[in-house]
Amino acid sequence: MMKTAPAVAVIALACALGAAVSQERPAAPAGAAPAAASAARFPSYDPRYPPPPGTPPAQVFQLSQDFPKTYAADTFAWEKIDFKAFPNEYLRAVLNYCLEGNVDVDFRVQDNPVRKWYHAPWLHDDGAQFGGGREWRRGMTRERMSRPFELHTQQTGRGQNWAVGFYNDRGGVGLGKVWLTADGRPDPSKSTFPPNTVACKLLFTDAPVEQVPYLRNGKVWTANIYPDTNYDKPRVDREMRLLQLDVAVKDPRLARSTGWVFGTFVYDGGSPGKTVWDRMSPVGLSWGDDQAVRTDAQRNGVFVNTALTQTRINSFLVEQPGWDYGDRAYVRHHGLGGRVNGPIDSPVSSCVSCHGRAGTFAKAADPVNRGRPMAMAVFSASKPSEYPMDKFDEFFKPIPDGAHVETQDGSQFMTTDYSLQVTGGIRNYYQNLRSQPVAPVAAEAGRATRNFKAAVPVDLSNAPALPRVDRDAD
């Protein structure tokens, strides 16, 4: 007889489809702003897939880019919560902060009546015709697809996942310093975010409810994405369901280490919560990667690794063989060795590991590599049992917070304070320059001199494409 999952979660935190007609249009000039926001400095969505003519502006995503220069001297509910001892309470306090005002405006965050939030620029176009740039309805970018059976035992097909992220005013100050520069070029050396910067990301999937029952009665958006995970056809409108929600806080208590607390939630349609947001169940929380712990690093599946000290996992969500979960949520994998990752994320990395490798090539005088991102993980391994342990220290060593230089494979990179959105934007900016007849990306090299003599522009039209900041490589 199949056992039945408990009706009420006793949370033990031990680590805390419908298709429409294609709307492809001829590509607009690279970097061109949307017609509805021609005064905007940064475009809002992929110019290859604009909204149909006559679409009301209120239905079109607009990048929140009025970045502030200062932020309010606020206090925050999570500041008094020990995230190590009370991870669930900490995550709920952060989630409530992220939802306040945003739920009322359906996450058009610049219209939040309580506090404005801001989007990272240059995620609209990664240079590929069938790339992962922002879609025009919700501003979502493509995330790692869900492989069969990763989300549920009934999931027989691949799931297409897209997400939109945003920062509070403190994060907005940080984004402005990077992107609102005198010469218009992003400055990664300015990407040190203030204390209590908060980032929030909503992740949606087109996986059907019939295959992932815990998606029932959740939040539904329509997004302009690809018909399927082959990613080789023009975009269409598809129905998406909220699956995962990620948060990150630059917690001052971690100033001498990673600087950040990362947490992730999964939607649990079978939980007793009254609202969608009450039914978001914490998967886990982490503030480090326990470099010294290699226990179970090559173990597949889902489990609680009690050797980890910088991770808190919600053990209630760990899949138990033989349970009939009905429409209750459960998790089939975490990150490598039981580290924190969400259900959409790769089982060979972790939140802290991936985001810690947010960095961009540091040598301005090398135009061919300008914009090249750090490698985030060993994505050639599709599951932990395939992970090459000789690479473990490279990807799980602690990375300090703030903008600073790190070395990877003999190259120096300027880190972007755990923001993959900043790294991805910088990569896309320089990839876009490569599509121009002559890309003057070496011009900054001459600006270090007192007379600001510009270097001769360099033609990169035949240069290889920069690697994408893409977690779908496995």
Side-chain angles (χ1 to χ4, degrees), residues 29-357:
S38 57
R41 183 165 184 171
F42 304 106
S44 294
Y45 49 79
D46 192 325
R48 296 172 181 82
Y49 304 101
T55 301
Q59 297 180 15
V60 179
F61 171 78
Q62 295 296 334
L63 194 79
S64 180
Q65 56 180 289
D66 185 17
F67 301 120
K69 293 185 178 180
T70 60
Y71 52 83
D74 294 332
T75 58
F76 304 95
W78 58 83
E79 290 181 290
K80 296 182 179 180
I81 302 174
D82 182 346
F83 54 83
K84 300 177 184 180
F86 303 101
N88 188 34
E89 290 81 355
Y90 184 93
L91 286 176
R92 183 58 60 179
V94 177
L95 177 61
N96 289 341
Y97 173 84
C98 295
L99 297 177
E100 188 179 15
N102 281 328
V103 172
D104 296 334
V105 296
D106 203 16
F107 294 91
R108 299 187 185 278
V109 296
Q110 62 269 39
D111 298 330
N112 186 321
V114 179
R115 63 181 69 87
K116 286 185 65 173
W117 293 70
Y118 304 88
H119 301 110
W122 263 101
L123 299 182
H124 65 286
D125 183 5
D126 61 16
Q129 180 183 0
F130 299 111
R134 282 186 167 119
E135 51 85 39
W136 66 265
R137 284 190 174 274
R138 293 290 180 172
M140 293 198 286
T141 56
R142 194 172 71 205
E143 291 279 327
R144 176 182 181 273
M145 75 174 74
S146 294
R147 280 60 171 169
F149 307 111
E150 278 192 338
L151 301 178
H152 200 280
T153 56
Q154 298 177 28
Q155 182 204 353
T156 58
R158 296 184 297 183
Q160 191 175 178
N161 303 315
W162 291 67
V164 60
F166 36 91
Y167 290 80
N168 67 351
D169 60 340
R170 293 170 181 241
V173 170
L175 293 174
K177 289 180 179 179
V178 173
W179 288 100
L180 301 182
T181 58
D183 64 3
R185 305 286 172 87
D187 184 355
S189 70
K190 298 292 196 301
S191 55
T192 295
F193 288 93
N196 285 305
T197 289
V198 177
C200 181
K201 183 165 69 171
L202 308 180
L203 301 97
F204 287 72
T205 185
D206 71 350
V209 171
E210 294 74 22
Q211 295 187 18
V212 188
Y214 57 78
L215 295 175
R216 296 185 192 281
N217 302 317
K219 186 166 184 60
V220 178
W221 275 354
T222 297
N224 193 247
I225 59 172
Y226 298 106
D228 52 50
T229 54
N230 291 324
Y231 305 143
D232 59 0
K233 300 178 183 66
R235 296 183 185 181
V236 298
D237 283 352
R238 287 181 67 83
E239 191 175 76
M240 308 283 285
R241 289 176 171 80
L242 181 65
L243 169 61
Q244 180 176 323
L245 188 150
D246 295 344
V247 296
V249 179
K250 188 156 188 190
D251 196 302
R253 290 169 286 188
L254 295 169
R256 284 190 283 271
S257 58
T258 62
W260 292 84
V261 175
F262 286 89
T264 185
F265 297 78
V266 64
Y267 176 71
D268 184 357
S271 71
K274 292 183 179 181
T275 71
V276 167
W277 312 110
D278 294 333
R279 295 192 291 272
M280 298 305 298
S281 185
V283 174
L285 168 153
S286 185
W287 62 95
D289 264 329
D290 287 292
Q291 184 186 13
V293 179
R294 302 190 180 209
T295 308
D296 288 330
Q298 292 181 305
R299 177 179 171 182
N300 295 329
V302 61
F303 52 90
V304 174
N305 186 346
T306 58
L308 298 172
T309 63
Q310 298 176 318
T311 293
R312 301 288 184 264
I313 290 288
N314 179 358
S315 61
F316 176 75
L317 289 175
V318 173
E319 180 186 13
Q320 299 298 319
W323 286 109
D324 178 5
Y325 281 87
D327 56 2
R328 294 303 306 267
Y330 61 95
V331 174
R332 307 209 74 202
H333 74 271
H334 291 123
L336 195 76
R339 290 163 176 81
V340 171
N341 247 353
I344 284 175
D345 302 321
S346 172
V348 300
S349 187
S350 76
C351 294
V352 173
S353 176
C354 261
H355 284 268
R357 274 80 199 158

